Amino acid sequence: MAPPLPLVFLLMTAGAFGTEWSVKYNQQEICALKGSTVFMNGTFTHPEGLTVTETFWFIDPVKYVNNPDPCIEPDFSGRVECLTDEQKHFSLKLSDVMKKDEHQFCFRIKTNVEKERWLGEPGVHLRVTELCVEAPEEVTEGQTADLTCKTTCSLTDPTFIWYKNGRPLTTKTIKNNQLHLQTISSEDAGSYSCAVRGSQYLRSTAHSLRVGYPPKNISVSISPSGEIVEGNSVTLTCSSDANPPVKNYTWFKEGGTSPVGSGQNYSIISITADHTGLYYCEAQNDHGAERSAGVPVFFKGERQD
C-alpha cells in the first residue's frame, strides 16, 4: 500500500519558549488490509531553543504509565521501521499488518529540557480488515445477482478486482465494490473472489456460486445398439444436464396418452410389433421439466433360434 496523500491533522500548543508545539499527521484514520503495509507519516515542530533528544511512538497511550513503543516491541519485531529526519518529518512503516495491530499510534518527542516534551494525541487510529465476498449461495438461471466485496472499515479510494475460478473477470459489470451478473446462465457458476488493485495478492476467501436450472440437453440412447430383432430385449436410457439433478424420469410412446414407464432406464422385454414406434423421456427437477426428441424403436426380421 503506497503512502497516503496528505490529509493533514494539526495538534499544537504553546511552549514555555514562546513558540508552538505541533504534530501533523497525514492521516488520523487508516483502514488497512490484513497482510498489507501501512505508513503513518507526519511532521512536527517545537519551541525555539530546544533540542530534540529522542523521538518514539506510543500505542494506546495512558498517562503516568510506561506505554509500549511499537518500534521496539517484540510483537512488531521485523515488521516495523521508525524514522525521523532533520527536517522534522517522521514515519512509521508497518508491514504484514495483523488484526492485533489495531491500536492508536501516537508520536512522542523529548527535548533537552525535562518538562518540554510533547505527545501527539489522539494520533493515528489503525483498523485492519479482510476482504469478504457477500453473495447468494445459489441463483436460478435467468435471474440477476450482485456479489459484494465487503470490508469492516473504509479503504482509501480502492479499485476492486474480481476473479472467477482464479482468473480476472474483464467482461462483467463492476461498480464500486459490486460485481453484477445479468441474466445468469449455468456458465456463471463457479468460485468468485475479490481483491484491491495494488494488493492483488491479498484476495478474499473464494465464494462458491451455484446456478440452478431445469433439465436440458436431454438425449436417449438404446442398448444394445444396431439392429433390433423381434423377441429380443432393448433398454432405453435417458441422460440430461440439470441442477439440481433430475428427480423424475418419465417415458412416453408417441401416440399414447399415458406414460409407459419411469426411471432413468426403460426396458422392453421380448419386443414385438406392438412395441415399435417413437419413444421419448421427460426429465424433471425443482426448476422444471423438459422432453427429449423422439427415438425410433423398430425391429428388423425375426429372431433365429
Side-chain angles (χ1 to χ4, degrees):
M1 182 181 291
L5 295 174
L7 176 59
V8 175
F9 295 85
L10 178 60
L11 307 163
M12 61 172 57
T13 188
F17 288 73
T19 309
E20 292 179 330
W21 280 105
S22 71
V23 174
K24 302 176 183 178
Y25 296 102
N26 289 3
Q27 284 182 296
Q28 281 194 293
E29 297 283 341
I30 295 178
C31 175
L33 289 175
K34 180 182 176 183
S36 67
T37 298
V38 297
F39 297 84
M40 303 179 201
N41 302 325
T43 60
F44 68 94
T45 61
H46 59 77
E48 297 176 5
L50 296 177
T51 300
V52 174
T53 57
E54 188 179 5
T55 61
F56 48 95
W57 291 76
F58 277 166
I59 298 175
D60 303 326
V62 178
K63 287 185 178 180
Y64 312 116
V65 172
N66 186 19
N67 295 285
D69 178 0
C71 301
I72 59 174
E73 278 292 302
D75 279 353
F76 297 91
S77 178
R79 300 191 295 127
V80 67
E81 294 180 35
C82 300
L83 300 172
T84 306
D85 63 22
E86 293 182 357
Q87 285 72 45
K88 299 182 177 61
H89 297 97
F90 62 84
S91 69
L92 186 153
K93 176 185 176 183
L94 182 59
S95 304
D96 192 18
V97 172
M98 306 176 185
K99 190 69 175 175
K100 67 179 182 179
D101 295 335
E102 291 191 324
H103 293 289
Q104 201 81 15
F105 292 77
C106 296
F107 187 64
R108 176 73 160 161
I109 308 162
K110 284 186 177 182
T111 71
N112 57 328
V113 177
E114 177 64 26
K115 292 185 179 181
E116 288 292 337
R117 56 179 66 187
W118 184 246
L119 177 63
E121 292 185 292
V124 179
H125 183 203
L126 175 62
R127 297 184 63 189
V128 181
T129 186
E130 293 183 76
L131 300 176
C132 176
V133 175
E134 186 177 84
E137 295 291 333
E138 182 174 328
V139 291
T140 301
E141 195 171 52
Q143 294 181 338
T144 62
D146 289 318
L147 285 69
T148 305
C149 191
K150 300 200 74 175
T151 59
T152 56
C153 56
S154 298
L155 298 169
T156 302
D157 298 326
T159 298
F160 290 92
I161 303 170
W162 286 89
Y163 300 84
K164 179 189 174 188
N165 299 331
R167 296 176 177 269
L169 283 172
T170 57
T171 60
K172 299 295 183 180
T173 302
I174 299 173
K175 185 177 181 181
N176 298 325
N177 64 334
Q178 283 196 326
L179 172 66
H180 182 68
L181 300 179
Q182 180 75 31
T183 315
I184 286 175
S185 72
S186 57
E187 294 180 356
D188 291 314
S191 178
Y192 289 83
S193 58
C194 62
V196 172
R197 190 175 302 280
S199 299
Q200 288 93 322
Y201 62 99
L202 300 174
R203 291 188 198 176
S204 69
T205 300
H207 175 87
S208 181
L209 180 68
R210 300 188 303 273
V211 176
Y213 50 90
K216 53 187 177 181
N217 302 325
I218 303 171
S219 63
V220 176
S221 60
I222 302 177
S223 178
S225 59
E227 291 186 355
I228 301 172
V229 178
E230 183 180 14
N232 282 354
S233 297
V234 65
T235 298
L236 283 64
T237 300
C238 190
S239 301
S240 69
D241 176 22
N243 189 32
V246 171
K247 279 186 175 181
N248 301 307
Y249 290 97
T250 307
W251 291 91
F252 297 88
K253 182 182 179 186
E254 188 176 52
T257 57
S258 301
V260 295
S262 62
Q264 189 169 6
N265 299 312
Y266 172 61
S267 295
I268 302 173
I269 308 299
S270 188
I271 191 169
T272 66
D274 291 338
H275 294 117
T276 59
L278 289 176
Y279 288 80
Y280 57 89
C281 76
E282 181 180 271
Q284 181 181 32
N285 70 357
D286 294 339
H287 296 291
E290 292 293 336
R291 288 187 177 185
S292 70
V295 174
V297 175
F298 294 97
F299 64 85
K300 293 183 179 182
E302 297 180 349
R303 183 175 61 184
Q304 300 298 319
D305 294 328

